[in-house]
Amino acid sequence: MPHFSTLTWRIIAFNAIALVVLTAGVILVQSSGRGLVEERLTGVQEQAAIVAGTLAEYATDPETHTLKVTEAEPLLRQLITPTRLRARLYLPSGHLVADTRLLLARNSVQIEDLPALDRWTQVKEWGRRIYDGIMGVRPFARLAPYSESGDDGRIYQEVDDALRGATASAQRVDDQNKLVLSVAVPVQRFRAIYGVLFVSTEGGDIDDILRQERFTLIEVFLVAFAVMLLSSLYLAGTIAEPVRRLAAAADRVRREGLAGRDAIPALPERSDEIGDLADSLKEMTATLYDRIGATERFAADVAHELKNPLTSLASAMEMLVRAPDDAARQKLMALVRADVKRIDRLITDISDASRLDAELSRESHSVIELSHLLKTIVEIYDVTEISKDQAVTLVDELPPGTRVRGNDERLGQVFRNLIDNAISFSPANGVITVKAQRQHGVARVTVEDRGPGIPPENLESIFQRFYTERPAMHFGNNSGLGLSIARQITENASGRIWAENIDGGGARFVVEFPVLP
């Protein structure tokens, strides 16, 4: 037997419960409503009424108020022959004068089952009775026993009722536990009763019809159950099996680490929620591994960047011991202080960069008036002492009320990093220009300097972490994280940033943000 998942069993179980409830409801409605027995009894009453009316019309003597038995027998035989019924004719005294069991050849031979002799046959008989009770073939309530009356029909209550002018019916079971339906109709004309027509079914004919009806219902149930089982297995195969494959792939990713990077299967043939789940898991896994790889590279870069000033610091300390004079010692101490300052700057920038991802994911964005933000930042530089007597100017060409979405502190960090970078490369008495414009639905801010510019092959690589390929005069003054942080914040705010060179010398950094309507 194949191993089915819990979800598969649940799908099969719930579908089976629905099918069983539906089938049981059909059986209950057929058993409790107007079923085959009631319909059969109604039919017998109608046939008996027709036969009794015919006998009253053609086999009675109105003058003597007697029943013409010699004329009634052939008429009764002719009327009952097309049916599967047994008819008996009684006089007003209750005496039997005609019985189709003696008039028709099909009723002359009676076949009855012998009682069960061995234990197994008895068990089967009891099982059959229980089945008949459950399926509504035979109710568990006991019915009155049926017995032959002989020549006196008054032992039947319905015959007595018919002699008083009322049509009556009854349900009984014979000694073989077979259902017998009987109807007694008065043979009367002009309110005069000439006799009673007693019509009954042969034992077992209703039972056979009921069993066949229930058996057909069971056959339909089995076919429906097979269809339900196949559809459930198909449904489970299209839902449970892919989910189980994805779960197993996720387990392989957890166990194998980087070796399981491609373990999540792609389901291109699925255009439903399962396919979306597989794509999401695959993308999530790829993003997770990219993040892990970035973390590992970041750790390696941190170790490399810290190693350089530490190596320089160690060399300076060794040479400090062997310094020949105070001038040399002062020079080495200046180098030590510069290395310590560089290490402190590196640790601060590394700490900021390591927290940036988590903080950006938690921070909420708000509406920011870009002109006000830029004006505030430039004013800070105006009141702050900047080395080399450099100046920061703002050229604001944005329409009034231009707004973007983001975090004002983070966007301020972007522009401060760009201005700090421009200051570090600008010559003495240089000017750093911050210009803001609106172009085609975006707000563009540029930061320009008049420094040496950027090698064309490095216009993109300068945004990588720990990029430190700088002219000798600027080496050691930056951690190489400022531009990387600026790009990360900008992209988080749905913007973009790039660098380009200015004709005639200098570099320009361009930042664009979508403008809110």
Side-chain angles (χ1 to χ4, degrees), residues 417-434:
N417 287 358
L418 295 180
I419 294 173
D420 289 342
N421 182 79
I423 290 173
S424 67
F425 286 97
S426 293
N429 301 318
V431 177
I432 292 90
T433 304
V434 179

Side-chain angles (χ1 to χ4, degrees), residues 322-336:
R322 298 191 296 269
D325 50 35
D326 290 340
R329 280 193 292 271
Q330 290 297 328
K331 185 176 181 180
L332 290 173
M333 287 301 296
L335 181 61
V336 168

Side-chain angles (χ1 to χ4, degrees), residues 298 302 345-360 410 413 417 465-466 479-482 484-486 488-489:
F298 182 74
V302 167
R345 184 172 55 251
L346 274 172
I347 292 175
T348 301
D349 291 347
I350 289 169
S351 177
D352 291 341
S354 63
R355 293 196 309 266
L356 187 61
D357 285 340
E359 291 177 353
L360 288 177
R410 292 300 180 186
Q413 185 178 2
N417 287 358
R465 285 175 172 173
F466 300 109
S479 64
L481 289 172
S484 173
I485 292 174
Q488 194 172 357
I489 296 173

Side-chain angles (χ1 to χ4, degrees), residues 338-393:
D339 286 336
V340 171
K341 186 176 180 181
R342 183 183 175 195
I343 292 174
D344 180 69
R345 184 172 55 251
L346 274 172
I347 292 175
T348 301
D349 291 347
I350 289 169
S351 177
D352 291 341
S354 63
R355 293 196 309 266
L356 187 61
D357 285 340
E359 291 177 353
L360 288 177
S361 63
R362 291 194 300 265
E363 290 174 352
S364 59
H365 290 178
S366 60
V367 177
I368 301 171
E369 189 173 348
L370 194 56
S371 295
H372 177 71
L373 177 64
L374 293 174
K375 182 179 179 181
T376 302
I377 292 173
V378 172
E379 286 178 351
I380 293 174
Y381 281 95
D382 287 342
V383 299
T384 303
E385 182 180 353
I386 304 176
S387 62
K388 300 186 291 184
D389 296 326
Q390 296 156 328
V392 179
T393 62

Side-chain angles (χ1 to χ4, degrees), residues 257-279:
L258 290 175
R261 183 184 182 97
D262 299 324
I264 302 296
L267 302 176
E269 72 280 2
R270 300 293 297 260
S271 58
D272 53 9
E273 289 79 1
I274 299 295
D276 294 341
L277 176 62
D279 293 340

Side-chain angles (χ1 to χ4, degrees), residues 60-98:
T60 58
D61 188 349
E63 295 181 359
T64 61
H65 294 87
T66 57
L67 183 66
K68 299 178 182 179
V69 178
T70 55
E71 296 180 8
E73 285 186 352
L75 189 59
L76 183 63
R77 180 174 56 246
Q78 184 177 3
L79 293 174
I80 294 298
T81 297
T83 69
R84 299 181 60 188
L85 303 174
R86 176 188 178 187
R88 279 165 280 188
L89 192 58
Y90 294 97
L91 294 177
S93 62
H95 181 72
L96 177 67
V97 294

